[in-house]
Amino acid sequence: MRDRMEPQVNTDKSTASAKAPKTAVGSQDCSCAEARAHLEAFLDRECTADLTERLAQHVATCLHCSRIADAETHLREILRSRCAEQAPPELRARVLGRLSTLRATAVSVTTTSTTTRTQASASGRVVRIVESRVESSRTIRMEGD
């Protein structure tokens, strides 16, 4: 059974080579698998210039990948429009008040190391030795804007 994401493959080599997109010298054609693998980065404009060019050319010439890119773009627009709400003023005031309180609070951070070992004394008694060592200590004071 064929993968639903794969476009139909034309077995006629002469037709396939005639429809193959032309690319710049030194660059390779982009496959549907590569386009799907990099689609999110491509839509977020996080690809290298060469990859962006190859993906854009592939999406422009491949009906299947073009539809996938359009569907993903449409989904992102829907999500963006649904996330446009702002918090109620009371909640914003509470959060900002709490943040300003936290900014004015000093925080002390101390890192300690504890080692426990058992040792026999000269008289033959077993003694448990616990050593604690302060490895670092610092105070962070966060102040308002």
Side-chain angles (χ1 to χ4, degrees):
M1 186 172 175
R2 194 168 63 82
D3 180 6
R4 288 178 172 257
M5 296 297 289
E6 290 295 325
Q8 286 187 323
V9 178
N10 189 342
T11 55
D12 181 9
K13 291 183 181 179
S14 63
T15 307
S17 63
K19 291 184 179 178
K22 304 271 190 270
T23 58
V25 176
S27 67
Q28 299 173 353
D29 290 341
C30 177
S31 68
C32 292
E34 183 180 15
R36 280 195 317 271
H38 297 286
L39 181 63
E40 288 186 29
F42 173 67
L43 295 175
D44 292 336
R45 296 186 173 111
E46 296 174 348
C47 296
T48 63
D50 177 58
L51 183 58
T52 298
E53 181 182 334
R54 291 188 310 117
L55 290 169
Q57 186 173 11
H58 179 81
V59 169
T61 59
C62 176
L63 180 62
H64 179 74
C65 291
S66 175
R67 287 181 178 165
I68 293 172
D70 288 345
E72 180 68 24
T73 301
H74 183 67
L75 177 63
R76 288 167 179 236
E77 289 170 359
I78 290 171
L79 290 173
R80 215 176 300 129
S81 71
R82 299 297 187 259
C83 297
E85 296 179 24
Q86 290 192 4
E90 303 83 30
L91 176 60
R92 288 177 53 84
R94 266 193 351 238
V95 169
L96 291 173
R98 180 72 177 130
L99 286 174
S100 66
T101 302
L102 289 173
R103 284 187 188 121
T105 303
V107 178
S108 293
V109 179
T110 304
T111 306
T112 59
S113 163
T114 304
T115 324
T116 305
R117 64 181 177 179
T118 306
Q119 180 176 335
S121 65
S123 63
R125 291 181 41 201
V126 177
V127 181
R128 191 171 120 192
I129 302 170
V130 178
E131 296 177 54
S132 291
R133 203 171 19 152
V134 174
E135 293 181 352
S136 68
S137 181
R138 61 184 173 160
T139 300
I140 302 169
R141 180 159 180 84
M142 301 174 88
E143 298 182 8
D145 299 331

